Amino acid sequence: MKNAELTELLKGLVAIPSPSRKEKDAADYLQQRLAGFGLEPVRKGNNLWIEEEGRGDGRPVILLNAHIDTVKPAEGYSRDPFTPVEDGDVIYGLGTNDDGASLVALLEAYVRLLPLRRSFRMIWSATAEEEVCGEGGLDSILPELGKIDLAIVGEPTGMKMAVAEKGLIVLDCTARGKSGHAARDEGENAIYNAIRDIDWFRTHRFERVSDYLGAVKMSVTMISAGTQHNVVPDNCRFVVDIRPNGLYSNAELMDIIRGSVSCEVVPRSLRHGSSHIDADHPVVKRAGNIGIELFGSPTTSNQTLLDFPSVKIGPGDSARSHTADEYILKSEIAGAVDVYVELLEGLEL
């Protein structure tokens, strides 16, 4: 495809509102455009993918993934977020940086790599519900794709490669006590019971520390207890925000936490796993050989859903995401395509 075709494809997506769980029109448009390019996308829900021929031929499989959904427009836009505008090298519009640029750059890289001799097979995918980590997104199509050996997740990283990504666990905790009159020596104060556990969350240090993400971070962020001043409260509820560092599974962290505190602990979800790829993995070594900078990412992506090796790399800047007057540079997209091709063309899994 020509650069102008990629630009027009991106602008067409920007013009179609596609907030998470409402991506149908964008998926319809993308499906039609891919067919016009001579590609044959498969669709499930609002997710599309193109699979290279040869399933079952024994070659390892690389998944190229980006998402088509966006957040709602931020306040402060000085222009219509759904009217794509080109101004020299700049394209303005909601979803240009996050994640349209990665989507079109990975598509072009896929097309360029197809005729080249490679030791691996590719699947390109455009998926829904990434911004809300919804079950109707990448999660829903993974069983259809078969065994995946590596994923390249496109997100705005300035074409640096995230080799680790923080996860997220939110805990709803309840410390129990026994109600009583505050004027008499009776009851068991749930707040005091909560304080012991809150102090554990504040002071505990997990042993495994990531070179890229540091330690697991736990923060108590909300607390609620009591009904009136003269009643000893019989429960105290608090919320803990946990950012895993890729060296513990969410299940491991839950086992440690439940074995250390006395309060009731209920995770809202354990789907948001952290990721950490081995430094000796071929894609990490290949990135080093061609001068790609490595880093650990504090933001989550579709990597949280993957239980196989993955890295995150794409055009744009994470700081532009979810902000007013979002934009991408056409030169960033073109440069990203070249980097993707160079990264994958010489890769041996």
Side-chain angles (χ1 to χ4, degrees):
M1 286 179 277
K2 299 177 181 178
N3 288 341
E5 290 177 311
L6 293 179
T7 298
E8 290 306 309
L9 178 60
L10 175 57
K11 289 167 62 178
L13 285 169
V14 170
I16 302 171
S18 55
S20 300
R21 298 193 175 96
K22 297 182 179 179
E23 306 96 339
K24 180 181 181 303
D25 290 345
D28 289 345
Y29 166 80
L30 186 56
Q31 184 174 15
Q32 181 181 25
R33 290 300 305 272
L34 291 173
F37 292 140
L39 303 169
E40 298 182 1
V42 181
R43 180 165 178 173
K44 181 178 182 181
N46 295 327
N47 305 284
L48 299 166
W49 68 94
I50 308 167
E51 182 170 353
E52 183 181 1
E53 293 181 357
R55 181 181 283 214
D57 63 8
R59 287 185 294 167
V61 177
I62 295 180
L63 174 66
L64 310 178
N65 175 255
H67 64 90
I68 63 173
D69 61 315
T70 70
V71 296
K72 294 179 181 180
E75 293 185 11
Y77 262 89
S78 65
R79 58 186 77 238
D80 181 356
F82 303 112
T83 299
V85 174
E86 282 189 71
D87 184 3
D89 191 33
V90 183
I91 305 175
Y92 291 99
L94 178 64
T96 49
N97 180 78
D98 185 13
D99 193 33
S102 290
L103 187 147
V104 299
L106 282 170
L107 176 63
E108 174 64 7
Y110 174 90
V111 171
R112 289 193 193 178
L113 286 162
L114 272 179
L116 302 182
R117 186 177 182 86
R118 291 166 285 106
S119 63
F120 57 85
R121 200 166 60 82
M122 297 183 297
I123 301 174
W124 174 88
S125 60
T127 51
E129 299 187 17
E130 187 274 346
E131 297 290 1
V132 295
C133 200
E135 295 182 2
L138 177 59
D139 242 6
S140 68
I141 70 168
L142 285 175
E144 312 284 338
L145 304 182
K147 182 179 182 294
I148 305 294
D149 296 275
L150 172 69
I152 308 292
V153 176
E155 288 282 349
T157 69
M159 294 312 291
K160 299 176 184 178
M161 179 182 285
V163 294
E165 179 186 274
K166 285 186 176 180
L168 171 64
I169 305 174
V170 179
L171 302 180
D172 290 307
C173 301
T174 304
R176 305 292 182 183
K178 184 179 180 181
S179 61
H181 198 297
R184 294 192 290 270
D185 187 16
E186 62 182 28
E188 181 185 357
N189 197 316
I191 294 176
Y192 299 158
N193 292 341
I195 287 172
R196 291 193 293 268
D197 290 336
I198 289 171
D199 193 54
W200 182 86
F201 283 112
R202 182 179 69 85
T203 60
H204 182 74
R205 300 294 179 264
F206 291 92
E207 292 181 2
R208 303 172 208 161
V209 178
S210 167
D211 291 339
Y212 289 99
L213 299 177
V216 174
K217 189 174 187 304
M218 300 191 292
S219 304
V220 176
T221 55
M222 301 174 68
I223 188 168
S224 174
T227 57
Q228 56 192 63
H229 77 90
N230 57 353
V231 177
V232 173
D234 60 3
N235 67 74
C236 178
R237 297 181 176 88
F238 59 97
V239 176
V240 186
D241 178 292
I242 302 175
R243 304 294 169 145
N245 66 351
L247 301 183
Y248 295 86
S249 70
N250 287 353
E252 281 183 283
L253 291 174
M254 290 306 304
D255 285 344
I256 294 170
I257 291 167
R258 284 180 167 141
S260 303
V261 299
S262 58
C263 61
E264 176 186 322
V265 178
V266 180
R268 295 183 183 178
S269 172
L270 294 178
R271 296 177 66 242
H272 302 262
S274 53
S275 68
H276 196 286
I277 194 168
D278 194 277
D280 291 328
H281 192 282
V283 75
V284 178
K285 288 187 171 181
R286 175 66 181 161
N289 289 340
I290 63 175
I292 295 176
E293 183 178 340
L294 309 179
F295 78 108
S297 174
T299 59
T300 59
S301 70
N302 271 337
Q303 282 188 283
T304 66
L305 305 175
L306 306 179
D307 61 0
F308 47 82
S310 65
V311 295
K312 180 168 67 178
I313 178 172
D317 186 340
S318 182
R320 298 178 205 157
S321 302
H322 307 180
T323 63
D325 294 337
E326 183 181 345
Y327 70 91
I328 193 69
L329 304 182
K330 290 184 284 185
S331 57
E332 289 177 314
I333 297 174
V337 174
D338 291 339
V339 172
Y340 283 140
V341 172
E342 184 179 10
L343 173 68
L344 295 173
E345 184 179 6
L347 183 62
E348 294 287 339
L349 294 180

